[in-house]
Amino acid sequence: MSDRIFGIVGIILAIAFAMSAFAIQESFLSDAVGPKAFPLIIATILGLSSLVIAIKPDPEPHWPPFARMAEVFAAIVVMALYAQMLPVIGFVIATAIAAAYLSWRLGSSVVASVLTGVGTSVGIYAIFHLVLGLSLAKGPLGF
C-alpha cells in the first residue's frame, strides 16, 4: 500500500512539475530546444517511474521501530539546520558540527565523531576553496 501511495504522489508531483514547465515564459532569444524541454523530460521520467511503482508495488516493507524513525527525523532536522546555519556560522564550523553529529549517530564514539567532523570540514574546505577556488560560506572567523 505504501508503494502505491508513493507512486500516486509521484504522479501528482510530475503533473504539477509539467504544468509549471508549460508556464515558463519563452524569450525571443531562446535556443531551439527552449527552456521547457529539461523540466518536461524530468516530469516525464518522474511520471513514468511513479506509474510503474503504483501499478507494480513491491511487497509491504518492514518499517523500523519508532526510536529508529526518530533518529532519521533528527538527522533530517540536523541537515535543515545545517542549511540555515551555513551563512551565519560559515561552512567550516557548520560542516564540522553536522558531520560530527551524523558520524556519532552512525555509531562512532564521541571523540572519533568530532575528529571525523573536523577532518571532513577542513578537507572539503581545502579541496573546494583552496585548491579549486570555489566560494564557500564565510563565518565569523573569516573561513
Side-chain angles (χ1 to χ4, degrees):
M1 183 67 174
S2 59
D3 276 358
R4 290 188 198 271
I5 293 170
F6 181 70
I8 291 169
V9 169
I11 291 169
I12 293 168
L13 184 63
I15 291 168
F17 202 70
M19 289 172 55
S20 296
F22 282 121
I24 294 174
Q25 296 288 329
E26 290 193 35
S27 170
F28 68 93
L29 294 175
S30 65
D31 59 5
V33 176
K36 297 178 184 179
F38 184 70
L40 288 174
I41 291 169
I42 298 298
T44 302
I45 292 170
L46 174 62
L48 291 174
S49 302
S50 298
L51 184 64
V52 169
I53 291 171
I55 291 174
K56 190 176 179 205
D58 288 337
E60 278 301 310
H62 171 70
W63 290 96
F66 178 76
R68 188 55 129 176
M69 292 298 284
E71 284 188 29
V72 170
F73 181 72
I76 293 169
V77 169
V78 165
M79 294 309 295
L81 288 173
Y82 172 69
Q84 294 296 316
M85 295 308 292
L86 266 173
V88 177
I89 62 176
F91 176 82
V92 174
I93 297 171
T95 302
I97 293 169
Y101 174 79
L102 294 172
S103 175
W104 174 63
R105 292 314 310 144
L106 287 171
S108 296
S109 68
V110 174
V111 173
S113 297
V114 170
L115 292 174
T116 299
V118 171
T120 300
S121 177
V122 172
I124 292 173
Y125 180 81
I127 292 170
F128 283 91
H129 184 69
L130 301 177
V131 174
L132 298 175
L134 298 175
S135 178
L136 298 173
K138 292 186 180 193
L141 301 177
F143 56 85

